[in-house]
Amino acid sequence: MAAPRDFYAVLGVSPTATPDEIKKQYRKLAKQYHPDANEGDPKAAERFKEISEAYGVVGDAEKRKQYDEMRRLGAFTSGGARRPGSGPTGGGFRSEPAADMGGGFGAFSDLFSSLFSDRQGPRAKAAQAGQTVETTLKIPFRTAAAGGKVEVKLDVVEECNTCKGSGAALGARMNVCPECAGRGEISFGQGGFAVNRPCPMCLGRGQIPSAKCVTCAGAGELRNARTVSITVPTGADTGTKVRLKGQGGRGRNGGTPGDLVITFQVEPDRFYSREGLDLIARVPINVAQALLGSTISVKTLDGTKVAVKIPAGTSSGRRFKVAGQGIAKGNEKGDLLVEAQIAVPETLTSEQERLLKDFATAAGLKY
């Protein structure tokens, strides 16, 4: 049995890759090799399992830390090849240990095996929690500020309803997997220790159906589209997260469903912007209103119109506060700040130009 490949090589990332880079690469590969996209291709299914196994270790901060320490101590050779001079002994390969981790090489073996504790065959048949689905959702500015409901369409991987995750067609016989002899796992060894991993032929089930489920092509799971209604809390901003318990992927073998984690991305508004809990409304006024003063009507976030007095001599950019008409969040509420933006006409008629020159002369203004 071949020794383990380097998980960074499996994913095609550098050992110094950031968690975000690893996650991005995993999603790319998982989409490429998922059984749903490669119907009837056992090599793709095996590659998918290999990718998932690698990400399960290097995608977990604590397991990655342990794994990196093992790599540093020489637990892996390039591409999973044996060390020179190694040979088959028992169920795996043996070679001289590269290093000792303090408690003897048995401690090294225990540590390595612990990285795969959630992937070993006997556990694969136990109840498994559903997939936690994370997604980014764009929401309108006004919905984020005032709160409301939006719908999001999700793709989640779920247990096949037709075969209940067995991968077998209705009435098919289940035969013992010849690769793993029904254990659902295979062993590989190196340096005096052995580690189990899910069997790539039966996908960890220990059995192979005489006929595959026509719904999932034997994978036991499907990628399904789902529409979920999301309640946006008042005062949400870009980066705000909400977690919906039990709205993620369906559990396997009776396991609890996963969660849905939504990260909001607020779209800009043509009229409003925000500074903290304060709403900023930029309102155009003409030169006469700025010079002589005026009263303008401005809509609040809930659509109510309020009168805002513009005093004579107002300069562009000056703000006027409408108290308590900003964004509410908890027990706090911001203000509406109306910012005057003086709109200058691009062209003047001859009469307008003459009158403006007369005004400038009377006011002692140079032009």
Side-chain angles (χ1 to χ4, degrees):
M1 192 67 62
R5 290 186 61 191
D6 187 308
F7 286 153
Y8 292 112
V10 169
L11 293 174
V13 296
S14 165
T16 60
T18 66
D20 284 344
E21 290 171 338
I22 291 174
K23 179 185 289 187
K24 182 178 180 180
Q25 178 69 355
Y26 164 69
R27 288 178 174 174
K28 175 184 175 182
L29 293 175
K31 182 177 181 181
Q32 179 181 351
Y33 291 102
H34 195 278
D36 289 353
N38 300 272
E39 186 174 353
D41 186 349
K43 290 184 178 180
E46 181 176 353
R47 177 74 171 123
F48 180 75
K49 285 292 181 181
E50 185 180 41
I51 292 163
S52 299
E53 182 180 66
Y55 182 68
V57 175
V58 298
D60 181 284
E62 186 59 33
K63 289 184 178 181
R64 183 183 183 185
K65 182 179 178 182
Q66 296 175 355
Y67 180 75
D68 286 345
E69 178 64 11
M70 291 161 53
R71 290 180 80 257
R72 186 183 69 81
L73 294 173
F76 305 97
T77 58
S78 177
R82 288 177 288 175
R83 295 179 182 278
S86 64
T89 303
F93 297 113
R94 295 187 60 86
S95 63
E96 292 303 314
D100 196 334
M101 296 185 71
F105 201 72
F108 197 178
S109 174
D110 293 341
L111 175 59
F112 189 31
S113 295
S114 73
L115 295 179
F116 298 87
S117 61
D118 59 347
R119 290 173 170 76
Q120 295 183 4
R123 293 193 182 185
K125 299 177 182 178
Q128 298 178 28
Q131 172 192 20
T132 293
V133 180
E134 297 186 36
T135 189
T136 299
L137 178 62
K138 292 183 178 181
I139 56 175
F141 179 93
R142 300 186 192 205
T143 302
K149 288 186 177 293
V150 294
E151 290 189 341
V152 57
K153 293 183 178 180
L154 304 169
D155 283 335
V156 295
V157 178
E158 299 180 322
E159 183 178 86
C160 176
N161 265 334
T162 303
C163 65
K164 305 303 179 185
S166 69
L170 184 64
R173 299 188 314 277
M174 299 301 293
N175 303 314
V176 174
C177 175
E179 177 72 13
C180 65
R183 294 189 304 274
E185 60 187 19
I186 56 177
S187 299
F188 55 80
Q190 184 173 343
F193 63 88
V195 177
N196 296 326
R197 67 184 295 179
C199 174
M201 180 174 287
C202 65
L203 304 181
R205 301 187 190 104
Q207 295 178 311
I208 295 178
S210 58
K212 293 181 180 180
C213 171
V214 295
T215 303
C216 65
E221 60 186 24
L222 290 169
R223 184 175 295 276
N224 293 325
R226 182 193 300 173
T227 300
V228 180
S229 180
I230 308 295
T231 298
V232 180
T234 303
D237 204 351
T238 293
T240 298
K241 293 179 182 286
V242 295
R243 177 181 288 268
L244 302 183
K245 301 290 288 185
Q247 292 295 315
R250 186 164 47 241
R252 299 179 181 178
N253 304 316
T256 57
D259 297 339
L260 171 61
V261 179
I262 302 287
T263 301
F264 294 124
Q265 182 178 334
V266 180
E267 298 176 315
D269 188 80
R270 62 180 180 80
F271 184 65
Y272 293 117
S273 60
R274 67 181 288 181
E275 293 177 2
L277 296 182
D278 290 335
L279 272 179
I280 313 300
R282 293 176 174 83
V283 181
I285 61 174
N286 59 45
V287 175
Q289 289 174 309
L291 292 175
L292 303 175
S294 181
T295 298
I296 61 175
S297 180
V298 180
K299 280 188 177 181
T300 62
L301 191 61
D302 62 7
T304 303
K305 290 185 177 181
V306 294
V308 178
K309 185 176 181 181
I310 305 297
T314 292
S315 57
S316 191
R318 183 175 176 182
R319 291 180 175 181
F320 304 93
K321 183 170 72 175
V322 182
Q325 291 298 324
I327 298 171
K329 192 171 185 179
N331 296 324
E332 298 181 79
K333 192 166 187 179
D335 301 320
L336 171 62
L337 303 179
V338 178
E339 183 177 297
Q341 297 286 317
I342 300 175
V344 179
E346 294 183 1
T347 59
L348 296 172
T349 65
S350 298
E351 179 64 14
Q352 289 171 337
E353 185 175 353
R354 182 186 67 78
L355 291 173
L356 189 57
K357 287 180 178 180
D358 289 344
F359 167 75
T361 301
L365 302 176
K366 293 183 179 180
Y367 58 91

